Amino acid sequence: MRGRRTVVSALTILAITSVTACSAGSLGSSEDTDGATKITMLTDADEGSQSDAKAMVAAFQKANPGVVVDVQAKPSGTDGDNLIKTRLQTGTMTDVFTYGSGSLFQQIAPANNLAALTGDAAVAKVDEAYLPQVSVGSDVYGVPWGNAFAGGVMYNKKVFEQLNLQVPKSWSEFLATADKIKAAKIAPVIQTYGETWTSQLFVLGDFHNVAAAAPQWAADYTANKAKYATTPAALAGFEHLQEVHDKGLMNSDFASAKVPDGLRLLASGKGAMYPILSGVLPQLEQVAPDNVDDIGFFALPGPDAATNGLTAWFPNGVYIPKSTSGPKLEAAKKFLGFVASPAGCEVMAASNKPTGPFMVQGCSLPADVPQVTKDIQTYFDEKKQSPALEFLSPVKGPNLEQLCVEVGSGISKADKAAALYDQDVKKQAQQLGLEGW
Amino acid sequence: MNRALTRWGLGGLAILSSIVVFLVPFAFIVTTAVMDSRQAGEFTLAWPRQFQFVENLTTVLQTRDYLLVIAFINSTVLTVVSVTALVILGAMVAFVLQRRKSRLTGLANFLVLTGLIMPPAVVPTIWVMQKLGLFGGMPGLILIEITYGLSFTVLLFRAFLATVPRELDEAAIIDGAGPLRLFFRVVLPLLRPVTVTIIVVQSVNIFNDFTNPLYFAPGDQNATVQLTLFNFQSQNLTSYNLLFMDILLITIPPLIMYLLFNRQIVAGMTSGAVKG
């Protein structure tokens, strides 16, 4: 008898727990939609992205009472990329989602997986400079989410003032400036290889200069006609990195420092210039809230002061997958239209401090943005900017950051790293099925 | 004198190294978890300048509408149900495979081994689950965890069953026990040491699983605790104090399990391993 009781109790435990398993999940989601169209949205899980999305959704729902948007989260980085591809492939994507533009966007096979928005009211106000980043052929698939940012050098204005220095506009000026800073016992160039992606700035952030020297380079590069190792203008980025290392211009803990360490060095005036993406601004505000306005921004200088300009990164896009249809598709398009409107920009600007200009017509930056953003805006206003290579060419090898760390640490030489990177790129280009590889 | 010195010296060294390997990282988690965001960003092992235990705890709990609470419920349900089913199913399969040898035994053993060898592919699995209507929910995820854990469980049980004398089964059968009664009343209690091992190992595995919940049960309503870690990190801004508070909260359940079952785990491991 007791034996049967054990079996029965084991089975009841199983049954009870599996029933609770079904109901446990529904604890958080609100079901009171009252016949409104409910769409789901996927964006990064971190606090900043979530609060942006929530603020946007709140403003949108106020303007469109018939639609309810449920914000969901995904991890950032490689896990998130894989998740997006998996969900698109299996037709289980949310109705709206944010993802990278440019070459990242090309990698999710937009023509197969995304709903085209060409000619739709949703994309009417998108800046023309941004459209190629979310288009395949003549079809447009997305609208910008947030603002553009830039790759260049964050510098400590107080240090520059004390040493009576000017913003360098050519590479030789940059080296001269660095020497003077070094003489004052301040680390001239900050590098943070504890987070390897930061090592690529000298190469990726130098692209404006490459484009200035060889306007067709990006197209030739995609077609396998131009190489980093054989184009002097492109090789310059690697050479600059090697020069900075060889001349001992880096902070002493460059090998292990992380971005917050680099920003702390910069804000405290123990380091003067930090080549980085302006997207790290929120982190600067967290690390050194009192010194944010001491920090300015200038573009990585090239050979010629006359062509000095900024390498710009475009914001992520918001897309609709093909699996969304009917009233949900209409609602999703309405949402995208709201995101790409001056009202949407205002929500974004209020939710977090912009790190660069918006890519929507009729949007302007609020007056109280940090100095870095103002400096970047100046480059955009003067039209002295060009998009980064990753927006012009889908070709980007996975190992650039490791190669740059090697050059910056003095393990490898510039020409060798550039040649290795050209090989690295080859595999990826073949995977994408590009012509000429 | 010299020998005593060597002995004490070696013992001390062992204690010291285990402190460095196990306690220092834990101390790092605990101290970072109670720091303010500014000091946590420095990412060093230091005494917190400002204790923010309660603030950090409430922030972490409240993030994204108390997602962590839902995640804890989900993770508990997932772990308890999957492990219960794993133990019962695994023991049953192992019992039959071990006791009733037939021509199919070799094939069955091979299939169990394939479960260990073959890497599970995500996209085809999702297709199958969609066809069965199991995708995107807790029941589907539980089945996934059971499937992925079953091979290992069967292997452990089978190895241990070889050490249980056949005479015990025979005596029970002579006394009139049916197959179910024989299994639940005689065999399962004898498997206690290895059952504890499996419970602990698989609970920790499933509780700490990240990729399966991520791919097979998307959506906030299915979130498990490991997925909440991404609420606090991104490329441009990571709140280390909140991240480590979350880690601390998540570490506690497996830690308690290890403390409670420590002795049985070791006993079960060795008894299952020596004889085969």
Side-chain angles (χ1 to χ4, degrees):
Chain A
M1 270 317 281
R2 284 188 63 201
R4 185 170 304 155
R5 210 182 303 153
T6 325
V7 181
V8 171
S9 55
L11 288 178
T12 18
I13 290 174
L14 250 176
I16 292 170
T17 36
S18 39
V19 168
T20 42
C22 303
S23 57
S26 47
L27 196 110
S29 52
S30 53
E31 301 292 336
D32 50 338
T33 44
D34 299 337
T37 314
K38 190 178 173 186
I39 59 173
T40 49
M41 172 181 181
L42 189 69
T43 189
D44 280 355
D46 64 282
E47 203 190 329
S49 316
Q50 284 289 314
S51 61
D52 287 355
K54 292 255 164 75
M56 185 66 81
V57 163
F60 171 71
Q61 287 177 349
K62 215 172 182 184
N64 298 273
V67 186
V68 176
V69 187
D70 179 28
V71 181
Q72 299 189 353
K74 72 167 183 71
S76 47
T78 331
D79 286 311
D81 293 354
N82 287 339
L83 182 70
I84 295 268
K85 286 171 195 163
T86 311
R87 292 186 70 168
L88 282 173
Q89 202 63 40
T90 54
T92 54
M93 197 47 169
T94 54
D95 301 315
V96 173
F97 69 101
T98 63
Y99 194 63
S101 52
S103 64
L104 273 176
F105 160 78
Q106 301 293 346
Q107 282 173 24
I108 56 175
N112 295 331
N113 291 324
L114 301 182
L117 302 169
T118 320
D120 198 277
V123 293
K125 292 204 182 82
V126 177
D127 196 294
E128 271 177 30
Y130 184 76
L131 283 177
Q133 313 311 329
V134 289
S135 302
V136 176
S138 58
D139 278 337
V140 185
Y141 292 92
V143 302
W145 178 254
N147 44 250
F149 52 104
V153 183
M154 280 193 183
Y155 71 105
N156 190 314
K157 297 181 89 157
K158 280 198 173 157
V159 172
F160 270 55
E161 263 168 42
Q162 275 163 17
L163 301 175
N164 205 10
L165 297 169
Q166 298 297 318
V167 167
K169 295 214 158 143
S170 69
W171 183 247
S172 50
E173 282 177 40
F174 183 88
L175 286 180
T177 313
D179 282 337
K180 280 179 201 158
I181 298 170
K182 194 182 178 188
K185 300 260 184 266
I186 294 170
V189 179
I190 301 171
Q191 290 287 283
T192 48
Y193 297 159
E195 287 177 47
T196 43
W197 67 267
T198 62
S199 65
Q200 312 169 78
L201 259 293
F202 270 108
V203 175
L204 297 181
D206 197 45
F207 189 71
H208 175 85
N209 301 317
V210 181
Q216 279 306 306
W217 197 79
D220 289 347
Y221 183 63
T222 313
N224 198 13
K225 286 181 196 148
K227 294 271 167 206
Y228 265 103
T230 51
T231 314
L235 183 61
F238 287 98
E239 285 171 349
H240 292 168
L241 184 56
Q242 185 188 335
E243 227 173 330
V244 167
H245 177 268
D246 289 350
K247 294 198 166 157
L249 299 176
M250 294 182 180
N251 49 316
S252 54
D253 61 345
F254 70 88
S256 62
K258 286 176 172 281
V259 172
D261 302 319
L263 291 170
R264 212 169 293 119
L265 268 179
L266 181 70
S268 64
K270 286 178 195 152
M273 302 186 282
Y274 186 13
I276 194 74
L277 290 177
S278 71
V280 302
L281 256 183
Q283 206 157 345
L284 177 67
E285 281 173 16
Q286 191 193 46
V287 167
D290 309 328
N291 301 82
V292 174
D293 279 329
D294 297 344
I295 311 298
F297 197 88
F298 63 81
L300 267 171
D304 188 0
T307 58
N308 183 262
L310 188 73
T311 308
W313 265 256
F314 289 110
N316 282 351
V318 198
Y319 311 102
I320 306 172
K322 261 206 176 124
S323 50
T324 300
S325 59
K328 289 194 173 194
L329 180 62
E330 289 310 307
K333 281 182 176 170
K334 238 188 232 175
F335 181 68
L336 261 59
F338 183 81
V339 171
S341 71
C345 296
E346 268 173 39
V347 176
M348 270 292 177
S351 171
N352 69 26
K353 289 210 177 121
T355 52
F358 289 102
M359 305 307 287
V360 177
Q361 291 162 20
C363 288
S364 55
L365 286 174
D368 63 338
V369 292
Q371 185 61 39
V372 171
T373 312
K374 285 181 195 157
D375 289 348
I376 293 170
Q377 179 72 48
T378 316
Y379 283 101
F380 273 88
D381 289 346
E382 294 169 1
K383 299 215 180 295
K384 285 184 183 171
Q385 53 87 11
S386 45
L389 179 60
E390 58 197 84
F391 297 101
L392 301 174
S393 165
V395 182
K396 182 171 189 297
N399 291 324
L400 180 59
E401 42 193 85
Q402 281 79 4
L403 293 168
C404 285
V405 166
E406 284 180 6
V407 175
S409 314
I411 301 167
S412 171
K413 293 292 170 208
D415 47 352
K416 201 179 138 217
L420 278 175
Y421 182 57
D422 286 333
Q423 286 176 21
D424 183 37
V425 150
K426 196 175 169 187
K427 293 169 222 151
Q428 194 249 2
Q430 284 171 342
Q431 269 182 7
L432 287 178
L434 295 175
E435 278 175 44
W437 290 84
Chain B
M1 178 61 201
N2 209 350
R3 187 176 296 171
L5 197 75
T6 328
R7 207 173 61 192
W8 286 103
L10 276 179
L13 199 72
I15 292 174
L16 205 73
S17 53
S18 56
I19 286 181
V20 170
V21 173
F22 296 109
L23 288 185
V24 169
F26 195 69
F28 186 73
I29 294 177
V30 174
T31 48
T32 312
V34 298
M35 285 175 184
D36 57 30
S37 64
R38 210 164 151 184
Q39 196 189 358
E42 290 167 19
F43 215 63
T44 47
L45 180 56
W47 194 250
R49 282 194 289 265
Q50 208 176 352
F51 278 90
Q52 287 202 341
F53 179 77
V54 181
E55 289 98 313
N56 288 350
L57 182 68
T58 43
T59 320
V60 167
L61 283 178
Q62 285 170 351
T63 304
R64 301 190 36 221
D65 299 336
Y66 295 92
L67 184 69
L68 187 61
V69 180
I70 297 169
F72 258 111
I73 297 174
N74 283 339
S75 278
T76 314
V77 169
L78 176 68
T79 314
V80 170
V81 179
S82 310
V83 172
T84 314
L86 265 178
V87 166
I88 294 175
L89 292 178
M92 282 177 164
V93 172
F95 182 55
V96 174
L97 279 182
Q98 223 289 313
R99 288 295 199 254
R100 192 178 292 176
K101 295 258 169 32
S102 74
R103 247 182 295 163
L104 286 177
T105 315
L107 179 69
N109 277 335
F110 173 72
L111 286 179
V112 169
L113 266 181
T114 21
L116 274 185
I117 298 164
M118 298 242 287
V122 174
V123 173
T125 314
I126 292 182
W127 284 335
V128 172
M129 291 173 76
Q130 280 176 323
K131 289 256 162 64
L132 297 173
L134 284 168
F135 181 72
M138 203 36 94
L141 185 57
I142 290 171
L143 287 177
I144 287 280
E145 297 289 3
I146 295 174
T147 316
Y148 288 177
L150 200 55
S151 294
F152 180 63
T153 313
V154 170
L155 282 185
L156 270 190
F157 269 126
R158 208 164 54 95
F160 188 82
L161 261 165
T163 70
V164 177
R166 218 163 227 260
E167 288 76 9
L168 287 172
D169 312 9
E170 284 162 2
I173 293 171
I174 289 169
D175 283 346
L180 274 184
R181 194 164 186 193
L182 166 66
F183 178 74
F184 281 106
R185 291 294 297 153
V186 179
V187 177
L188 202 55
L190 284 170
L191 295 178
R192 209 181 102 100
V194 74
T195 306
V196 173
T197 311
I198 285 169
I199 289 179
V200 172
V201 171
Q202 297 289 16
S203 304
V204 171
N205 251 348
I206 294 172
F207 190 81
N208 285 345
D209 192 9
F210 169 72
T211 41
N212 292 333
L214 177 68
Y215 290 121
F216 295 118
D220 283 349
Q221 73 276 17
N222 296 320
T224 61
V225 284
Q226 305 301 329
L227 297 180
T228 62
L229 294 177
F230 276 95
N231 295 342
F232 309 107
Q233 51 184 335
S234 69
Q235 183 180 353
N236 290 333
L237 181 70
T238 298
S239 321
Y240 284 111
N241 54 338
L242 302 180
L243 179 64
F244 277 82
M245 177 58 87
D246 198 11
I247 291 176
L248 185 66
L249 291 175
I250 292 172
T251 322
I252 290 172
L255 196 71
I256 291 176
M257 274 204 72
Y258 260 119
L259 290 180
L260 287 182
F261 292 111
N262 195 4
R263 185 176 298 179
Q264 281 98 322
I265 299 169
V266 177
M269 281 283 191
T270 47
S271 57
V274 179
K275 300 156 202 165

